[in-house]
Amino acid sequence: MSNDFAHDDDPAAATVFLAAEAAVLTERVRMLRQQLADVDARIRETAEKLGRLDPPPPASAEEHETSGTSATARTRQCHH
């Protein structure tokens, strides 16, 4: 809505104008709240999916010493 309306000329018209503007703003707030709820739901869904992923078990220092293969060498092997 525009702020061009001359509110001093007609109090009844100004009231109607402001009520209409309030209705538009109220609807906009409702829409924004819904969009925020949608984003929140997607964040929760993504967090749940990430939580279900199994991280690889950490390699112990003994495995590195006994295997004779350094982490760098294993990384190179994986990328080739």
Side-chain angles (χ1 to χ4, degrees), residues 4-71:
D4 298 340
F5 193 83
H7 301 293
D8 296 332
D9 295 344
D10 184 3
T15 301
V16 170
F17 173 81
L18 292 174
E21 190 167 1
V24 168
L25 293 173
T26 299
E27 178 60 18
R28 181 69 178 140
V29 167
R30 188 199 63 75
M31 289 172 48
L32 290 171
R33 284 184 176 156
Q34 181 59 53
Q35 290 172 346
L36 285 172
D38 293 346
V39 169
D40 184 54
R42 288 196 311 261
I43 289 171
R44 288 176 194 267
E45 181 181 315
T46 301
E48 288 174 12
K49 286 179 182 178
L50 288 173
R52 288 191 298 260
L53 293 177
D54 290 330
S60 69
E62 283 182 3
E63 289 176 1
H64 291 293
E65 293 172 6
T66 58
S67 69
T69 307
S70 70

